Amino acid sequence: MRIDSTYADVRFSYEDGEGKTFSVKTLEEEEYPRYYHHTIGDGAEASEQKSPVKTDVSEKKSVEPAEEQPQAGHVAYQENQRGISYQTLFGPYLTGAQKITLTDPYIRLFYQARNLMEFLETIARIKPDDEEVSVHLVTVEDEFKGDQQEEYFQKIQEAAAPIGINFSWEFSKDEGLHARHIVTDTGWKILLDRGLDIFQRYEMSDAFSFSNRLQEYRPCKAFEVTYLQ
């Protein structure tokens, strides 16, 4: 009924216990707001809002290029949503930072190290060529494959140094560490309930797959991000 414009107008929304009204949208409408059929119960045109499902503390857009001014707030993303990247999630909040600390206890396996590499690629895109940025990782050592884990970090460090990213890491002694967040010296703290692990499984060995080359083409897991200043 939401997709088919031949149906009568229906208000697709619900009210919470406090009487606040929340509109309900399909995943396709979230991803393609410009091309989607928009009607609500009173016949008025629905807003061209491009943000994902979110709480009422933020009006931050989700899939627009990272050109807007960063704002504090909270955003929730749907299972299998596309059009999301580290650039859109973090770019505005990392711009201008010279020291960035990433805390994520689950940077152990190859795909997690690759996520870390793509995070550094995001920083490489936004930083001026003549400036250096220090990125420090706080994680937990893999109990069984600690040597391989450290080898990943060393290779990332060697790759990042020539482009002005000084990558370092430390293994937290707190074995119960579960916090996942990013802190910048410009005053931002980004809380990540899933850390950098936001994408569904994709074929990383397929060089001809767009989901391999571009994050925007990967379906994501359900996750939430909170931006604090």
Side-chain angles (χ1 to χ4, degrees), residues 7 13 59 70 84-85 122 138 150 172 196 199 214 216 226:
Y7 276 90
S13 62
E59 292 299 326
I84 298 165
S85 69
T122 300
V138 180
E150 193 149 8
S172 173
L196 298 179
F199 297 110
L214 297 171
E216 292 86 347
T226 302

Side-chain angles (χ1 to χ4, degrees), residues 51-224:
S51 56
V53 176
K54 60 182 184 300
T55 62
D56 60 354
V57 299
S58 172
E59 292 299 326
K60 179 182 181 296
K61 297 179 181 178
S62 64
V63 295
E64 287 295 299
E67 297 176 352
E68 60 186 280
Q69 292 298 316
Q71 298 178 0
H74 178 83
V75 188
Y77 293 85
Q78 300 184 60
E79 188 84 4
N80 292 322
Q81 187 169 340
R82 298 175 190 266
I84 298 165
S85 69
Y86 292 165
Q87 179 72 23
T88 57
L89 286 174
F90 310 135
Y93 301 88
L94 302 180
T95 299
Q98 294 183 323
K99 293 182 179 180
I100 300 170
T101 300
L102 168 65
T103 300
D104 189 334
Y106 299 102
I107 307 292
R108 306 176 184 182
L109 304 178
F110 174 77
Y111 82 91
Q112 295 167 334
R114 172 169 166 149
N115 288 339
L116 173 60
M117 188 67 181
E118 291 185 340
F119 177 72
L120 297 183
E121 289 172 2
T122 300
I123 297 172
R125 291 189 186 99
I126 63 177
K127 82 172 192 65
D129 292 337
D130 59 346
E131 293 186 7
E132 293 188 351
V133 176
S134 296
V135 180
H136 185 66
L137 170 68
V138 180
T139 190
V140 175
E141 186 174 10
D142 191 306
E143 182 179 358
F144 303 104
K145 297 182 178 180
D147 292 342
Q148 185 180 65
Q149 182 184 20
E150 193 149 8
E151 182 182 351
Y152 291 152
F153 296 158
Q154 289 173 349
K155 289 182 177 179
I156 292 174
Q157 184 182 61
E158 293 170 1
I163 63 172
I165 297 178
N166 301 317
F167 173 69
S168 59
W169 69 92
E170 68 174 282
F171 294 122
S172 173
K173 302 301 183 182
D174 181 6
E175 296 182 357
L177 178 67
H178 293 288
R180 304 177 189 182
H181 51 69
I182 301 167
V183 177
T184 74
D185 62 349
T186 54
W188 285 105
K189 184 173 186 177
I190 306 172
L191 306 180
L192 309 167
D193 67 338
R194 294 197 62 93
L196 298 179
D197 184 19
I198 64 172
F199 297 110
Q200 300 280 9
R201 185 184 181 282
Y202 61 94
E203 188 52 65
M204 289 186 288
S205 61
D206 186 356
F208 301 103
S209 169
F210 278 100
S211 61
N212 181 25
R213 309 301 301 176
L214 297 171
Q215 292 181 333
E216 292 86 347
Y217 288 91
R218 303 171 191 169
C220 74
K221 303 173 183 177
F223 71 99
E224 300 182 6

